[in-house]
Amino acid sequence: MNILFIGPYRQADAWGSISRSLIKSISMIENVGLTTRPIFLSNSIDGNIEPNIFKLEANREEEYDVLIQHALPNYMIYSGEFDKVVGFTSFETKGNKQWDNYLKLLDKVLVSTEAEKEGVSKEIREKTFSIGVAQEVSSLKNDIPADRFTFYCFGGGLESRTSVKEVIQAYFSEFHLNDSVSLVLQVNDQQQTQALVDRVAQEVGFYSLPYYPHVHLVDKEDGLHDNCNCFIDVSSSIGFNPETAKALLKGNTPIVLKGSGRDEYVKEESGFIVDSIEDFLICPERPLKDMFIARETCFKPSLAALRSNMREAFEDRISLIRKSKSGVDSKEMLSYEKQSKLIEEILCS
């Protein structure tokens, strides 16, 4: 079977990471001839691409049986030159009907999680398949005792869908200045984030500036999975987050939202599942005009549940150790071999 894969695998972001992971799984299918071609959905380019991917770019077959496109649906096309035209994409919300007209053209649609599959219209859902997620980490972190128990969260540009404000609200309302705890936020703009931190400290009403629980701001993600204790991902977007999977495999007991899709690989025995509500979406920072509009729905965290989970992670160290070990042992569930077999079954059906 000859497969032409088109995707953003050269990008230095979550799209690029997922695309490279998908290429690795597809290349493990027996008797497959795989050719890759890059597309670019952002200006963030990864300069450390594995040599094997460049070798796949050099492949050229006279005919291809399957076209797999990893992109947003509005970038996907149908071509009669292939026996099967397959799209792999990420649905970050439920009910985006703007994309249905593009997805109707495809033979099959692949997504990472059941949450994403449930988020599309019934007509599209009938030909949509969840292929699970694949992730690996290069090494386990060193268990070096730290002065403070450290929660950490990736906030990027502080977009509302990251739920960073809700994380700070829960943290400030649950912990005290004297608690040996810290919240590390990876953000693009530290000055803007500090203003948000100060504002939330005033809003919760417990603190006078700057006397609130310890918050540390960083602009790079490097080393956080190796030096922190508990990863928080309660973003309203559904689907797979590679950083959450990395945290899981490092033993950092992720805190994730119920219904988000992350709870399909972070279980109660390996992390914390925060109760959530499904609500309509208000997102002023829309990356595209037909994405993240109020006709779509998403999941939002219960602040009371998030507070409770953070307190449990901080205080119940025996339970945390058990969860951490279970997370490290999740590597088979997140293996490329498992995903490869599932993709092969879907393509051959």
Side-chain angles (χ1 to χ4, degrees):
M1 176 168 54
N2 290 332
I3 297 176
L4 174 61
F5 178 91
I6 300 174
Y9 54 83
R10 288 199 182 192
Q11 291 180 195
D13 54 17
W15 276 84
S17 175
I18 293 172
S19 203
R20 291 188 292 275
S21 176
L22 191 59
I23 289 172
K24 185 171 182 177
S25 293
I26 295 172
S27 66
M28 297 174 69
I29 297 175
E30 190 174 355
N31 296 323
V32 69
L34 177 61
T35 301
T36 62
R37 293 290 183 268
I39 60 171
F40 299 92
L41 304 177
S42 78
N43 295 323
S44 176
I45 307 302
D46 192 332
N48 297 311
I49 301 296
E50 293 182 11
N52 286 342
I53 290 184
F54 288 115
K55 290 181 181 179
L56 294 173
E57 277 191 13
N59 289 348
R60 184 182 297 273
E61 305 290 346
E62 291 186 5
E63 293 184 352
Y64 290 96
D65 304 296
V66 179
L67 169 64
I68 299 179
Q69 305 167 83
H70 179 199
L72 293 170
N74 52 320
Y75 290 114
M76 295 179 183
I77 63 168
Y78 182 86
S79 173
E81 295 181 12
F82 304 89
D83 294 336
K84 290 180 182 177
V85 177
V86 178
F88 176 85
T89 194
S90 301
F91 298 101
E92 296 185 52
T93 62
K94 298 177 68 174
N96 185 344
K97 296 183 179 179
Q98 302 290 329
W99 288 345
D100 281 8
N101 289 335
Y102 302 99
L103 297 174
K104 287 176 182 176
L105 299 175
L106 307 180
D107 296 310
K108 295 178 186 293
V109 178
L110 306 181
V111 293
S112 295
T113 64
E114 289 293 328
E116 293 166 278
K117 179 178 177 178
E118 291 301 313
V120 300
S121 62
K122 185 175 180 181
E123 181 180 0
I124 306 300
R125 195 180 310 152
E126 293 175 349
K127 59 179 180 181
T128 300
F129 302 85
S130 168
I131 60 171
V133 300
Q135 185 68 56
E136 60 185 15
V137 293
S138 56
S139 62
L140 298 179
K141 67 176 184 177
N142 296 321
D143 291 325
I144 302 174
D147 295 335
R148 294 174 180 270
F149 184 89
T150 310
F151 296 100
Y152 66 115
C153 175
F154 293 165
L158 299 182
E159 295 86 357
S160 58
R161 63 184 184 276
T162 64
S163 299
V164 171
K165 182 177 181 179
E166 287 81 352
V167 171
I168 301 171
Q169 288 172 332
Y171 176 67
F172 278 172
S173 60
E174 181 60 32
F175 295 100
H176 188 271
L177 176 65
N178 295 330
D179 286 323
S180 183
V181 64
S182 180
L183 174 63
V184 177
L185 299 175
Q186 179 280 322
V187 291
N188 299 339
D189 187 329
Q190 293 194 22
Q191 184 175 359
Q192 180 187 8
T193 308
Q194 187 61 59
L196 174 63
V197 169
D198 292 341
R199 186 167 67 251
V200 172
Q202 294 296 296
E203 289 174 352
V204 298
F206 300 147
Y207 309 104
S208 298
L209 295 179
Y211 300 105
Y212 46 69
H214 186 261
V215 176
H216 183 55
L217 307 181
V218 299
D219 58 4
K220 295 186 181 298
E221 303 170 3
D222 300 347
L224 291 184
H225 289 309
D226 291 310
N227 296 291
C228 299
N229 301 108
C230 184
F231 183 63
I232 303 177
D233 175 8
V234 291
S235 60
S236 59
S237 301
I238 62 175
F240 174 50
N241 181 358
E243 299 302 334
T244 306
K246 289 177 187 176
L248 178 71
L249 294 175
K250 288 280 188 178
N252 289 341
T253 56
I255 298 177
V256 300
L257 275 189
K258 184 177 182 180
S260 65
R262 268 88 73 193
D263 58 337
E264 294 174 28
Y265 52 95
V266 177
K267 307 292 186 179
E268 288 285 1
E269 58 266 23
S270 59
F272 301 89
I273 313 298
V274 178
D275 288 338
S276 64
I277 58 170
E278 184 177 347
D279 204 351
F280 69 92
L281 180 67
I282 298 295
C283 181
E285 320 90 350
R286 291 191 297 275
L288 294 172
K289 65 179 182 180
D290 56 354
M291 290 179 63
F292 302 107
I293 58 178
R295 292 190 184 92
E296 302 166 40
T297 62
C298 64
F299 292 94
K300 300 179 181 179
S302 159
L303 290 182
L306 178 55
R307 286 175 53 182
S308 176
N309 288 140
M310 293 176 75
R311 174 59 65 178
E312 182 182 349
F314 175 66
E315 287 192 344
D316 194 344
R317 300 301 171 90
I318 302 243
S319 172
L320 194 75
I321 291 172
R322 286 199 297 264
K323 289 176 181 286
S324 176
K325 184 179 183 304
S326 179
V328 172
D329 292 340
S330 299
K331 52 184 176 292
E332 284 192 18
M333 178 179 63
L334 301 176
S335 72
Y336 290 100
E337 291 83 359
K338 180 178 179 180
Q339 187 179 60
S340 177
K341 290 179 181 177
L342 193 52
I343 294 172
E344 182 179 13
E345 290 175 5
I346 295 169
L347 295 182
C348 294
S349 64

